Each structure stands twice: as structure tokens, then as C-alpha cells.
Amino acid sequence: MTDYPKELDQKIVLGNTNTGRSNPSYDPEKGRESLAKEEQEKFDTLTEPVCETIKRDLLMIWVKLTYVMVPRTMIKEKAKQLRDWDLWGPLVLCLLLSLCLSFSANTDDGTLVFQIVFIIVWAGAAIVAINGQLLGGNISFFQSVCVLGYCLFPLTVAAFVNMMFLQFVYFFIRVIVVGVAFIWSSYSSVGFIAEMVVPEKKGLAAFPVFLFYLFLSWFILL
Amino acid sequence: MQEFLSKEQRSFMSDTVGESPKVEERRKTFFEKICRCLTVDHYRIYFDVTQEQVLGRIKKSLFPFTGQPLFEDGKIDLYAPFWVYISLNICMAIFGVLARSIDQAFDEIDYETSIEPHKMAKSYAFLLLYFVVIPAGLYGVLTLLSDESPEYAKILAVYGYSFAIFVPVTFTFLVPFDTARWVFLIVAGIISLWILFKELVMNGMEYMEEYKIYFIGGVQCFLHVVFILFLKYYFFV
């Protein structure tokens, strides 16, 4: 706490000088302590049962999945939830997708397909995030990974259905199933990513997302 | 204005006024302290384009015979070259498999009709050669042969846009006739070479001696022929 420069202490004391509001009686030392205590209580989960922790994390994943599954939810609501990023959901979905595709592939290529899909998901999310930042957008790497990872849900379901039920069905039916999943995934994620950049560059931010899901869709089909 | 503010208020008006050098140094990220070229900010100037500008440049690269320069305002961008590279890789993977499936239906021969991961990895490396290494070689040669040469970023951008024509050409591999595929590839090669000639020679190398330009042009033609042959005989069987 003593590492903070004096200017920051003054900001806490004097408040927001731009609006003219201030709270001169606010004690910075006391303020930092109470804030630290609040943060500690929020994250002090060492004493709670493991099943409580797991239940909370699973609920968090489920809430985010519902925002992905119902793309008509207001973008602002979705943005608020997905800004509180986590990587559990993307990891689980990526692993499920990679496993489904590796089981569907030839026995010789199974391991290679798993590696390629796993790397493509994480590298693709990183590239989309960097692309957004280069276009001047306000998007962080982990938010991008979170959004793209959760929006993999429809494609993961399509890959599972393809593996279990549609292996020996007409190619045309598989195209329809994967096509619907691709449109659903793209629609869910493009809105969020495009909101992060200026309107003149929305198409430039959305195109990589479209390409990312198109490539994964073809992987599932073929 | 500042004389009417208190000392504390003055320090809030600007991020740098009244700030000690140590605080300013601490605010730099780790990568910024090593080298600015390791940060995203350093490359933002090459991505400062709108979607209309990019679409306009892509249209000019697909049909470059209008006489207009590719970068009208002189501002180059690396957005389209990078995504042309990625799109071309993806299209080669997808349409390579589809082309083989179509050939299998017409020729009644068993071809490999699933995605070949090793070919995909090789396509990324092969195209990286054309999108990054060969422009670097050209930049080196131009720097050695003359006092003035276009900057490396411009050569990268021009190369990237010149290969944009090959993305729609991969779609044409769905046509089941070999002659038609060759025609599309040769036309794409000519368009790509014309873009390189127009942007680099006509708008950048006019100060060089003719024999040097012919030599560099000959090498570029040879490299494009190698690219077309690889596309036809390795990725599209």
C-alpha cells in the first residue's frame, strides 16, 4: 500500500475534481483497508465446501451459456456478463469439440486432429483479440477467448450429433445441421465483438470471427 | 487556465504534468520497456483503415486494369494482406478436399476426401514464404541495388493484395474440367504479377536501370509459376 504515489492518495481524498464533487473527509488509509477487506471476503473461498465452489462455477458457466444460446438477449446485458470472463467454459467446450472430432477422424489422424482443433481454437481467439486491438477496439484477450469459447457451444453440439447419429447419413443432412450451428455461433459472437470497435470498422472486426467458425464447421463436416 | 487551478487539481488535468519520471516509467508495460515494436500500439498505423477502404482496395486488386493506384491516399494497410493469407489457407484446405471429391465422382477413382492435416500445416508454411520471406528478399535486393527503395511494409502490403485474386480462384476448382482450372490459374497469375509491376515498378522503381527491373521481374514470374504449380499439383491434386 505504501507503494502508491501521493497523487493517487490525493485522488481518493479530493474525489472527482472534474464534476466538482469531492469527499474531503474520506481517509485514504481507512478506505484502502476496507476495500481490501471487502475484496478478501469476496474471494475467501478456502473455508467453503468443495461442492459449493464447483456448484458456483457450474452455475456461472450455465448462465453464460444461456446468454450464448439465446442471441436475442440485449447486447448490453450479454456484454456485462461476458466481460466478467472465465476460461472454464471455453476449455470444456474446446476439449469436447476436439474429442468429438478426433473420434470421428481416421485412427491414424485422431491425435493430430485433436491437436489441430485445440490449437486453432485458442490461437484463433488470440488472433481475433489482437485484430480487435489493432483496429483500435477496446477488447481484451481474455474477453475475446471467453466470448469465442462460449459461442463454440452450437458447433460442439453439432459435432457430437454428427459423431453419434449422422456418420452414415446423407452428406446434405449433415451440411444442414452444421450450417445451422455455424450461423448460430457466428450470430452469437459477432454482435459482441463488433460492439467493441467503431462503426466504420465493424465488418473488419467481424470477418475473422466468421472465418474462425467457418473453418471449424468444415472440420466438423469433413 | 492552469493558474486558476489548485496544485492538486492541476496534477489531475494531465496524465504527464506533475508526474514524476518514476511513475511514468512504471506505467509502461514490460514489453514497452524492452522495445516498442513488441507492443500492439506500434502496428496500429497499419490497421487504421475502414471497411469501405479495404473493400475498395480488394476490388482494385481483383481487377487492377483501371489505372488507379492501390493505395490512393498513400496510406498502406496490413489488415487485408494478413487476412488474405489466412483466407487463402482455409480456402485451399476446404476446396482442395471438395475438388478431390468432385474428381472422384467424375473419374471414379478413389482419392483422399478428408482433410489432410499435414497438407494444411505445409500450406501455412508455403504461403508464409510468399507473404513474408519473398517480400523481405525483394526489399533486401532493392536496398542493395539502389539508393531509394519502397519500405518493407509497402512491399508486404502489395504482395498481400496481389495474392487476393487466388482466393476466388480456389472456388473455381469446383469446376470439374482440368483445362478450365489451368485457365483460371494462369489468369490469376497474370493479374497478380500485373499488380506487383504496377505498384512496385511503375510507382516506386522508375529510378532503377532497366536491366535490373527485368531481372527482378523475371525472378518474380518464376516464383509465381512455382506457386501455381504447387497449388495445382500438391494442394489440389
Side-chain angles (χ1 to χ4, degrees), chain A residues 4 9 12 20 24 27 32 36 40 43 62 71 73 79 100 103 105 108 114 121 141 145 168 175 177 190 193 212:
Chain A
Y4 287 100
D9 284 344
I12 294 168
D27 183 356
R32 272 203 292 269
Q40 199 179 356
F43 293 108
W62 173 249
T73 311
C100 289
F103 287 145
D108 296 335
F114 181 94
V121 168
F141 167 72
V145 171
F168 305 106
V175 168
V177 169
V190 156
I193 302 284
F212 174 71

Short mmCIF file of all heavy atoms in Angstrom, two decimals, chain A residues 4 9 12 20 24 27 32 36 40 43 62 71 73 79 100 103 105 108 114 121 141 145 168 175 177 190 193 212:
data_model
loop_
_atom_site.label_atom_id
_atom_site.label_comp_id
_atom_site.label_asym_id
_atom_site.label_seq_id
_atom_site.Cartn_x
_atom_site.Cartn_y
_atom_site.Cartn_z
N TYR A 4 1.91 3.11 -3.48
CA TYR A 4 1.11 4.00 -4.30
C TYR A 4 1.67 5.41 -4.18
O TYR A 4 2.01 5.88 -3.11
CB TYR A 4 -0.35 3.99 -3.84
CG TYR A 4 -1.05 2.74 -4.22
CD1 TYR A 4 -1.23 1.71 -3.30
CD2 TYR A 4 -1.52 2.57 -5.51
CE1 TYR A 4 -1.87 0.56 -3.67
CE2 TYR A 4 -2.16 1.41 -5.88
CZ TYR A 4 -2.33 0.42 -4.95
OH TYR A 4 -2.96 -0.73 -5.33
N ASP A 9 -3.25 9.02 -3.68
CA ASP A 9 -3.87 9.31 -2.39
C ASP A 9 -4.71 10.56 -2.50
O ASP A 9 -5.82 10.65 -1.99
CB ASP A 9 -2.79 9.53 -1.33
CG ASP A 9 -2.19 8.22 -0.89
OD1 ASP A 9 -2.81 7.18 -1.18
OD2 ASP A 9 -1.11 8.22 -0.28
N ILE A 12 -8.04 9.99 -4.11
CA ILE A 12 -9.04 9.39 -3.24
C ILE A 12 -9.59 10.47 -2.31
O ILE A 12 -10.78 10.53 -2.01
CB ILE A 12 -8.42 8.24 -2.43
CG1 ILE A 12 -8.03 7.10 -3.39
CG2 ILE A 12 -9.39 7.73 -1.40
CD1 ILE A 12 -7.16 6.05 -2.76
N GLY A 20 -16.63 18.40 -9.77
CA GLY A 20 -16.74 19.31 -8.64
C GLY A 20 -17.11 18.60 -7.35
O GLY A 20 -17.08 19.20 -6.28
N PRO A 24 -13.80 15.36 1.09
CA PRO A 24 -12.52 15.63 1.74
C PRO A 24 -12.36 14.87 3.05
O PRO A 24 -11.26 14.68 3.52
CB PRO A 24 -12.53 17.13 2.01
CG PRO A 24 -13.73 17.66 1.37
CD PRO A 24 -14.63 16.55 0.99
N ASP A 27 -10.83 9.12 4.40
CA ASP A 27 -9.48 8.81 4.81
C ASP A 27 -8.90 7.75 3.89
O ASP A 27 -9.41 6.63 3.85
CB ASP A 27 -9.51 8.30 6.26
CG ASP A 27 -8.11 8.04 6.79
OD1 ASP A 27 -7.15 8.17 6.02
OD2 ASP A 27 -8.00 7.70 7.97
N ARG A 32 -8.58 2.20 1.87
CA ARG A 32 -7.88 1.07 1.25
C ARG A 32 -8.08 -0.19 2.07
O ARG A 32 -8.27 -1.27 1.55
CB ARG A 32 -6.39 1.37 1.13
CG ARG A 32 -6.02 2.11 -0.15
CD ARG A 32 -4.56 1.86 -0.45
NE ARG A 32 -3.72 2.52 0.53
CZ ARG A 32 -3.26 3.76 0.40
NH1 ARG A 32 -3.55 4.48 -0.65
NH2 ARG A 32 -2.51 4.30 1.34
N ALA A 36 -9.82 -3.53 0.76
CA ALA A 36 -9.06 -4.79 0.73
C ALA A 36 -9.83 -5.88 1.46
O ALA A 36 -9.87 -7.03 1.04
CB ALA A 36 -7.70 -4.59 1.37
N GLN A 40 -11.20 -9.34 0.00
CA GLN A 40 -10.75 -10.60 0.61
C GLN A 40 -11.95 -11.48 0.92
O GLN A 40 -11.93 -12.68 0.68
CB GLN A 40 -9.97 -10.30 1.88
CG GLN A 40 -9.09 -11.46 2.31
CD GLN A 40 -8.30 -11.14 3.55
OE1 GLN A 40 -8.35 -10.01 4.04
NE2 GLN A 40 -7.61 -12.11 4.08
N PHE A 43 -13.34 -13.18 -2.18
CA PHE A 43 -12.56 -14.28 -2.74
C PHE A 43 -12.12 -15.30 -1.71
O PHE A 43 -11.39 -16.21 -2.03
CB PHE A 43 -11.33 -13.72 -3.46
CG PHE A 43 -11.70 -12.91 -4.68
CD1 PHE A 43 -11.58 -11.55 -4.70
CD2 PHE A 43 -12.20 -13.56 -5.80
CE1 PHE A 43 -11.95 -10.82 -5.82
CE2 PHE A 43 -12.57 -12.83 -6.92
CZ PHE A 43 -12.44 -11.46 -6.92
N TRP A 62 -23.22 -22.05 -16.76
CA TRP A 62 -24.56 -22.22 -17.31
C TRP A 62 -25.18 -20.86 -17.66
O TRP A 62 -25.81 -20.70 -18.70
CB TRP A 62 -25.45 -22.97 -16.31
CG TRP A 62 -26.88 -23.02 -16.74
CD1 TRP A 62 -27.94 -22.39 -16.16
CD2 TRP A 62 -27.40 -23.71 -17.89
NE1 TRP A 62 -29.09 -22.65 -16.85
CE2 TRP A 62 -28.80 -23.46 -17.92
CE3 TRP A 62 -26.85 -24.52 -18.86
CZ2 TRP A 62 -29.62 -23.99 -18.90
CZ3 TRP A 62 -27.68 -25.04 -19.85
CH2 TRP A 62 -29.04 -24.76 -19.85
N PRO A 71 -29.36 -15.66 -28.56
CA PRO A 71 -28.66 -14.46 -29.04
C PRO A 71 -29.50 -13.20 -29.04
O PRO A 71 -29.00 -12.12 -29.16
CB PRO A 71 -28.27 -14.83 -30.47
CG PRO A 71 -28.41 -16.29 -30.57
CD PRO A 71 -29.45 -16.69 -29.60
N THR A 73 -30.92 -11.89 -26.63
CA THR A 73 -30.72 -11.13 -25.39
C THR A 73 -30.03 -9.82 -25.72
O THR A 73 -29.16 -9.78 -26.56
CB THR A 73 -29.82 -11.93 -24.42
OG1 THR A 73 -30.30 -13.25 -24.34
CG2 THR A 73 -29.81 -11.31 -23.05
N ALA A 79 -23.00 -8.30 -22.81
CA ALA A 79 -21.66 -7.74 -22.66
C ALA A 79 -21.29 -7.66 -21.19
O ALA A 79 -20.16 -7.96 -20.81
CB ALA A 79 -21.62 -6.35 -23.28
N CYS A 100 -14.61 -34.97 -29.89
CA CYS A 100 -15.60 -35.45 -30.87
C CYS A 100 -14.97 -35.58 -32.24
O CYS A 100 -15.16 -36.58 -32.95
CB CYS A 100 -16.79 -34.48 -30.96
SG CYS A 100 -17.83 -34.48 -29.52
N PHE A 103 -12.43 -38.48 -32.44
CA PHE A 103 -13.08 -39.79 -32.53
C PHE A 103 -13.67 -40.03 -33.91
O PHE A 103 -13.72 -41.15 -34.40
CB PHE A 103 -14.20 -39.93 -31.47
CG PHE A 103 -13.69 -40.11 -30.07
CD1 PHE A 103 -14.37 -39.56 -29.00
CD2 PHE A 103 -12.52 -40.81 -29.83
CE1 PHE A 103 -13.89 -39.71 -27.71
CE2 PHE A 103 -12.04 -40.97 -28.54
CZ PHE A 103 -12.73 -40.41 -27.47
N ALA A 105 -12.46 -38.84 -36.70
CA ALA A 105 -11.42 -38.91 -37.72
C ALA A 105 -10.88 -40.34 -37.84
O ALA A 105 -11.21 -41.21 -37.05
CB ALA A 105 -10.27 -37.96 -37.36
N ASP A 108 -5.50 -43.09 -37.66
CA ASP A 108 -4.13 -42.56 -37.78
C ASP A 108 -4.07 -41.09 -37.43
O ASP A 108 -3.08 -40.62 -36.87
CB ASP A 108 -3.62 -42.74 -39.22
CG ASP A 108 -3.53 -44.20 -39.58
OD1 ASP A 108 -3.38 -45.01 -38.66
OD2 ASP A 108 -3.60 -44.52 -40.79
N PHE A 114 -7.02 -33.75 -32.96
CA PHE A 114 -7.24 -33.18 -31.62
C PHE A 114 -6.31 -31.98 -31.40
O PHE A 114 -6.75 -30.92 -30.96
CB PHE A 114 -6.98 -34.25 -30.56
CG PHE A 114 -7.20 -33.78 -29.15
CD1 PHE A 114 -8.42 -33.95 -28.53
CD2 PHE A 114 -6.19 -33.13 -28.46
CE1 PHE A 114 -8.63 -33.51 -27.22
CE2 PHE A 114 -6.39 -32.68 -27.16
CZ PHE A 114 -7.61 -32.87 -26.54
N VAL A 121 -8.51 -23.31 -31.87
CA VAL A 121 -9.48 -22.58 -31.03
C VAL A 121 -8.76 -21.50 -30.22
O VAL A 121 -9.18 -20.33 -30.22
CB VAL A 121 -10.22 -23.56 -30.09
CG1 VAL A 121 -11.00 -22.81 -29.04
CG2 VAL A 121 -11.15 -24.45 -30.89
N PHE A 141 -7.82 -9.67 -24.41
CA PHE A 141 -7.57 -11.02 -24.90
C PHE A 141 -8.50 -12.03 -24.23
O PHE A 141 -9.12 -12.87 -24.89
CB PHE A 141 -6.10 -11.37 -24.65
CG PHE A 141 -5.78 -12.82 -24.83
CD1 PHE A 141 -5.74 -13.38 -26.10
CD2 PHE A 141 -5.53 -13.64 -23.75
CE1 PHE A 141 -5.46 -14.72 -26.29
CE2 PHE A 141 -5.25 -14.98 -23.93
CZ PHE A 141 -5.21 -15.53 -25.20
N VAL A 145 -11.37 -14.55 -25.79
CA VAL A 145 -11.32 -16.00 -25.64
C VAL A 145 -12.60 -16.50 -25.00
O VAL A 145 -13.17 -17.51 -25.42
CB VAL A 145 -10.09 -16.40 -24.79
CG1 VAL A 145 -10.13 -17.87 -24.43
CG2 VAL A 145 -8.81 -16.10 -25.54
N PHE A 168 -23.48 -42.02 -40.98
CA PHE A 168 -23.80 -42.74 -42.21
C PHE A 168 -25.05 -42.20 -42.87
O PHE A 168 -25.75 -42.90 -43.58
CB PHE A 168 -23.94 -44.25 -41.89
CG PHE A 168 -22.73 -44.79 -41.21
CD1 PHE A 168 -22.74 -45.08 -39.86
CD2 PHE A 168 -21.55 -44.97 -41.92
CE1 PHE A 168 -21.60 -45.57 -39.24
CE2 PHE A 168 -20.40 -45.45 -41.30
CZ PHE A 168 -20.44 -45.75 -39.95
N VAL A 175 -24.73 -31.25 -43.71
CA VAL A 175 -24.47 -29.85 -44.08
C VAL A 175 -25.49 -28.94 -43.40
O VAL A 175 -25.13 -27.87 -42.87
CB VAL A 175 -24.50 -29.66 -45.61
CG1 VAL A 175 -24.53 -28.19 -45.98
CG2 VAL A 175 -23.30 -30.32 -46.26
N VAL A 177 -27.26 -29.47 -40.61
CA VAL A 177 -27.05 -29.42 -39.16
C VAL A 177 -25.87 -28.53 -38.82
O VAL A 177 -25.95 -27.64 -37.96
CB VAL A 177 -26.83 -30.85 -38.60
CG1 VAL A 177 -26.35 -30.82 -37.17
CG2 VAL A 177 -28.11 -31.67 -38.71
N VAL A 190 -20.56 -12.43 -33.16
CA VAL A 190 -20.22 -11.26 -33.98
C VAL A 190 -20.74 -9.97 -33.35
O VAL A 190 -20.06 -8.95 -33.35
CB VAL A 190 -20.78 -11.46 -35.41
CG1 VAL A 190 -20.99 -10.13 -36.11
CG2 VAL A 190 -19.84 -12.31 -36.23
N ILE A 193 -18.36 -8.89 -30.50
CA ILE A 193 -17.04 -8.44 -30.97
C ILE A 193 -17.17 -7.11 -31.72
O ILE A 193 -16.37 -6.19 -31.55
CB ILE A 193 -16.39 -9.51 -31.88
CG1 ILE A 193 -16.24 -10.83 -31.14
CG2 ILE A 193 -15.08 -9.03 -32.43
CD1 ILE A 193 -15.12 -10.90 -30.14
N PHE A 212 -13.25 -17.93 -38.53
CA PHE A 212 -12.91 -18.88 -37.45
C PHE A 212 -13.96 -19.98 -37.36
O PHE A 212 -13.65 -21.18 -37.38
CB PHE A 212 -12.80 -18.08 -36.15
CG PHE A 212 -12.60 -18.89 -34.90
CD1 PHE A 212 -11.42 -19.53 -34.65
CD2 PHE A 212 -13.61 -18.97 -33.96
CE1 PHE A 212 -11.23 -20.26 -33.48
CE2 PHE A 212 -13.43 -19.69 -32.80
CZ PHE A 212 -12.25 -20.34 -32.56
#
